[in-house]
Amino acid sequence: MTGTRARRTVVSVAVSAALACATACTSGEPSASPPPASAPPGSAAPSSSPPAITGPSADALRSVERATGRAGSARVESTTVMGRELSLEAAGALGWRDGGLTGTLTITYTGGTTAETMRRLGTTAMEARYLPDAYYAKMGDAFADRVGGRHWIKYVYEDLEDLGGGAGAGFAEQMRNTTPHQAVKLLLTAGDVRRVGEETTRGRRTTHWSGTVGGETAQTVDIWVDDRDLLVKKVERGRTKTGELTQTAYYSDYGVTVSAERPPAADTADFKELLASQAG
């Protein structure tokens, strides 16, 4: 592999890592059309939202939004499939107190073309650390060999917002909003939101709510809520340019202690610098 091709592959993997972090347990609208060339694959496209719902359903969902938001943290398990491009599993704990996102997820690539590319570079799983100003993705040894021995990629949210075409701003906002109560906010924009009924979810009695959001993308959002108004399960379905997107997430242990340390600077490559090296 030539030096130029190697650098491009490294940047491709870096973008794929960003995608994995963003989709691991994010609430967002999948794009009905291809995103701008500078955007990570599968990034959400801006769209207008319908007016928020009113009435008893809205009151019930706002109670869920408040309770889940106040809880401040939870353990997360999720699976995500993005058409033929990527499938992954994620597990860990996230916190969302004080307006910032913190926590750690272990993300395992289970299939798709992106996963195959990353697997060829020795990366089959990744540790993602979320901090209020940035997140960090730990890659494999083969990746480190191509970037001066550094195993971590650092993504500063402000740098993502500066990506061309305005694509990064929406992507950075997605990264900041990787919390369960964002799914409730999304559902509150659904014009057809409805209470499906009572169901047992992982041994717990829950209330199932469902709705369609996203305009032309026809994204569906389903949530299952326990008697404390806390999310137990979330399922989102929609379409991307590579096929159907399906994400299922389970939440437990609300209020769990969450922490995430910054990796050593000497073992960290900056995403913005990787992009610059590709341009060079």
Side-chain angles (χ1 to χ4, degrees), residues 201-249:
T201 305
R202 288 199 162 181
R204 299 163 66 181
R205 191 69 175 172
T206 60
T207 301
H208 179 184
W209 294 86
S210 181
T212 306
V213 300
E216 294 180 358
T217 64
Q219 180 185 358
T220 62
V221 179
D222 289 78
I223 63 172
W224 287 258
V225 182
D226 66 14
D227 57 6
R228 297 182 298 162
D229 283 341
L230 297 174
L231 259 70
V232 175
K233 179 182 178 182
K234 176 203 71 175
V235 176
E236 296 185 30
R237 296 183 179 90
R239 291 197 61 82
T240 71
K241 63 175 183 175
T242 62
E244 292 188 7
L245 180 148
T246 303
Q247 184 188 80
T248 301

Side-chain angles (χ1 to χ4, degrees), residues 82-105:
M82 297 186 67
R84 63 181 180 275
E85 184 176 346
L86 180 68
S87 62
L88 59 84
E89 298 175 351
L94 294 175
W96 50 90
R97 293 185 176 90
D98 303 321
L101 184 68
T102 58
T104 302
L105 296 177

Side-chain angles (χ1 to χ4, degrees), residues 183-205:
V184 187
K185 288 184 178 180
L186 193 59
L187 193 54
L188 279 164
T189 69
D192 63 347
V193 66
R194 65 191 186 282
R195 183 180 181 277
V196 178
E198 303 292 324
E199 300 177 16
T200 300
T201 305
R202 288 199 162 181
R204 299 163 66 181
R205 191 69 175 172

Side-chain angles (χ1 to χ4, degrees), residues 104-273:
T104 302
L105 296 177
T106 298
I107 300 172
T108 304
Y109 308 106
T110 56
T113 55
T114 297
E116 286 300 317
T117 299
M118 300 180 80
R119 192 170 289 115
R120 286 196 296 271
L121 289 180
T123 301
T124 57
M126 178 183 71
E127 180 182 338
R129 295 184 186 177
Y130 294 78
L131 287 97
D133 63 327
Y135 71 95
Y136 297 79
K138 186 176 184 180
M139 311 301 289
D141 290 337
F143 175 88
D145 288 343
R146 290 170 167 83
V147 290
R150 292 169 291 177
H151 293 81
W152 292 87
I153 308 173
K154 177 183 179 181
Y155 302 83
V156 177
Y157 296 134
E158 290 183 358
D159 291 344
L160 291 174
E161 289 170 349
D162 291 337
L163 289 178
F171 183 75
E173 189 63 23
Q174 270 194 313
M175 293 301 302
R176 292 188 181 103
N177 291 336
T178 310
T179 59
H181 63 298
Q182 295 299 325
V184 187
K185 288 184 178 180
L186 193 59
L187 193 54
L188 279 164
T189 69
D192 63 347
V193 66
R194 65 191 186 282
R195 183 180 181 277
V196 178
E198 303 292 324
E199 300 177 16
T200 300
T201 305
R202 288 199 162 181
R204 299 163 66 181
R205 191 69 175 172
T206 60
T207 301
H208 179 184
W209 294 86
S210 181
T212 306
V213 300
E216 294 180 358
T217 64
Q219 180 185 358
T220 62
V221 179
D222 289 78
I223 63 172
W224 287 258
V225 182
D226 66 14
D227 57 6
R228 297 182 298 162
D229 283 341
L230 297 174
L231 259 70
V232 175
K233 179 182 178 182
K234 176 203 71 175
V235 176
E236 296 185 30
R237 296 183 179 90
R239 291 197 61 82
T240 71
K241 63 175 183 175
T242 62
E244 292 188 7
L245 180 148
T246 303
Q247 184 188 80
T248 301
Y250 293 92
Y251 304 98
S252 62
D253 293 338
Y254 280 92
V256 66
T257 300
V258 173
S259 64
E261 296 182 359
R262 295 184 191 277
D267 197 24
T268 302
D270 189 277
F271 177 61
K272 192 173 184 179
E273 294 176 1

